[in-house]
Amino acid sequence: MSITMEKLFNLPDLGEGLTESEILSWRVAEGDTVELNQVIAEVETAKAVVELPSPFSGVVKKLYEPVGAVVNVGKPIVSFEVAQAPGTSSPEAPRADAGAEKPQPTLVGYGAPTESSGRPARRARRTGAVSAQSPLNDEPVGSAAAAPPVQATDEVEAETRAEASRGIGHLRSSPPVRKLARDRGIDLQSVQGTGTKGLITREDVMHAAPGETSPDRSTSSKNAKAAPAPAPSSGDTRTPIRGVRKATAAAMVASAFTAPHVTVFLSVDVTETMALLERLRASKRFAGVKLTVTSLVAKVVTLSLARHRALNSQWDGENREIIEFGHVNLGLAAATERGLMVPVVHGAQRMDLAALAAAAGDLTHAAREGTITPPQLTGGTFSISNVGVFGIDAGTPILPPGQAGILAVGQVRKMPWEYQDEIALRQVMALSLSFDHRLVDGEQGASFLAEVGGILEDPGMLMGLI
């Protein structure tokens, strides 16, 4: 005779220290029978959409979070009724009444350990030189580093305790929602929650009419009124800041205010390179391979980085070291429906042009289809962004965190150009190189860009680098 036990499944750590995920869909419902490793949910991290497999065979007892909820790593999302023979115990997961602190098998690991506050703790940062098979923790642009876990300020915690003492806790709202209500002068007592079990959501507060602050707030502020929010318009839209957009914003701010950026520009006559590109596309060796201008630039960059290692390095302030990498993990910025993402071709220096083009095409396709995995978005050592596909000549790209350089490739367009002491109509491209001035001197950055531009102007110069 067998008995059943309730088993909790906590949101797993999906890799690289990601601290939260949004539930996009449930593939099961309460009461469904599931098998081990059956996909039960689809979640979106700051980097990718991931399918979660069931860690148990049994019956779904409870779904703890609705679709659209953003859940911290280590928090329960579903429980199962699992059959178990009498007299045996399962080390696989904690009992339903044992809390979420004990480790349990998950999709990737045991999940982020929880602190006394119940929030997931950050992993310790890995340092030192890293091989191509062990990518860095530092994040590229579009998946740029996931934002660190938000720690509640003393003020918010104090307000939360005060609200609990006033009996507001039963209104079922999160601290950020309560803070929003205070800022807008909304009395939560008058707000009808539309979330699960009456949860008051951010949208409920945003749609509530501003008015007097709560009685306690009014007393402490001598009947002062909160500043009214801008009047909503029928054409306004509000989108939660989460996922890729949230991670990208955090990474860009961190990079812009950490690394001193310098950008240098160079316009190049790429007529010969474009002719070479057409010949390669027509050859049997590249049959079935999508060769692009970016592919050629990527190959030139990987070869040039071996001669200009300062551009393929990292500033490790924590250990007071500069790491010069012996490999090239090349990030390739891609615009997707979820936002900017930067897939990484690991070990790009070992690939020939055909292999590099194929790898870049596969990763970019996966990013746009939403099937790319977190490891494929991390560990970049240098990046390329083709802004020319949007009809742009040049720009000043922001460095991905942890990288020393990023090259923006502009559009190729015909324009008058000096050629063999005459004015001719040539195909011209602008290159923009941003670099970290702590790691790269002006001469080093200019020398690298001049070499890349020189090869694109005369691709026969590649022979000098092979």
Side-chain angles (χ1 to χ4, degrees), residues 56-126:
F56 306 109
S57 295
V59 176
V60 177
K61 181 177 181 181
K62 180 179 180 180
L63 302 181
Y64 283 82
E65 300 290 347
V67 171
V70 178
V71 185
N72 285 339
V73 168
K75 294 300 182 182
I77 57 174
V78 59
S79 63
F80 302 87
E81 287 287 351
V82 179
Q84 187 169 348
T88 63
S89 60
S90 172
E92 294 179 319
R95 296 174 181 267
D97 59 352
E101 290 77 11
K102 295 182 180 179
Q104 62 174 318
T106 64
L107 184 64
V108 175
Y110 288 103
T114 55
E115 299 171 342
S116 59
S117 64
R119 298 183 181 89
R122 284 292 277 191
R123 288 178 173 176
R125 179 181 176 87
R126 297 196 296 268

Side-chain angles (χ1 to χ4, degrees), residues 7-12 22-30 32-43 50-67 75-80 104-107:
K7 301 288 187 179
L8 282 178
F9 180 38
N10 299 337
L11 179 68
E22 177 184 354
I23 297 178
L24 295 183
S25 66
W26 283 108
R27 303 284 184 85
V28 295
E30 293 179 358
D32 286 356
T33 300
V34 297
E35 300 296 329
L36 180 67
N37 291 327
Q38 176 181 335
V39 175
I40 59 173
E42 188 179 53
V43 301
V50 180
E51 292 182 334
L52 291 183
S54 172
F56 306 109
S57 295
V59 176
V60 177
K61 181 177 181 181
K62 180 179 180 180
L63 302 181
Y64 283 82
E65 300 290 347
V67 171
K75 294 300 182 182
I77 57 174
V78 59
S79 63
F80 302 87
Q104 62 174 318
T106 64
L107 184 64

Side-chain angles (χ1 to χ4, degrees), residues 261-268 300 304-305 307-311 382 404-407 431-437 439-455 461:
H261 285 56
V262 175
T263 305
V264 291
F265 303 87
L266 179 65
S267 294
V268 180
V300 173
S304 294
L305 285 175
R307 292 162 50 86
H308 302 270
R309 296 186 55 158
L311 272 298
F382 186 93
I406 178 172
L407 180 69
L431 302 174
S432 312
L433 174 68
S434 290
F435 55 86
D436 184 340
H437 216 336
L439 293 161
V440 184
D441 295 336
E443 182 275 331
Q444 293 173 307
S447 178
F448 171 78
L449 186 60
E451 181 171 291
V452 171
I455 294 171
M461 292 179 61

Side-chain angles (χ1 to χ4, degrees), residues 327-404:
H327 59 275
V328 178
N329 291 345
L330 192 63
L332 299 169
T336 75
E337 291 184 356
R338 298 173 60 228
L340 178 66
M341 306 184 78
V342 187
V344 177
V345 180
H346 292 270
Q349 81 286 351
R350 299 190 301 266
M351 300 180 181
D352 61 18
L353 178 58
L356 183 56
D362 291 344
L363 286 170
T364 301
H365 177 76
R368 288 173 177 155
E369 291 296 314
T371 59
I372 198 163
T373 63
Q376 294 173 317
L377 291 165
T378 57
T381 61
F382 186 93
S383 292
I384 295 174
S385 177
N386 188 343
V387 298
V389 296
F390 306 111
I392 301 300
D393 291 330
T396 54
I398 296 178
L399 288 167
Q403 296 183 28

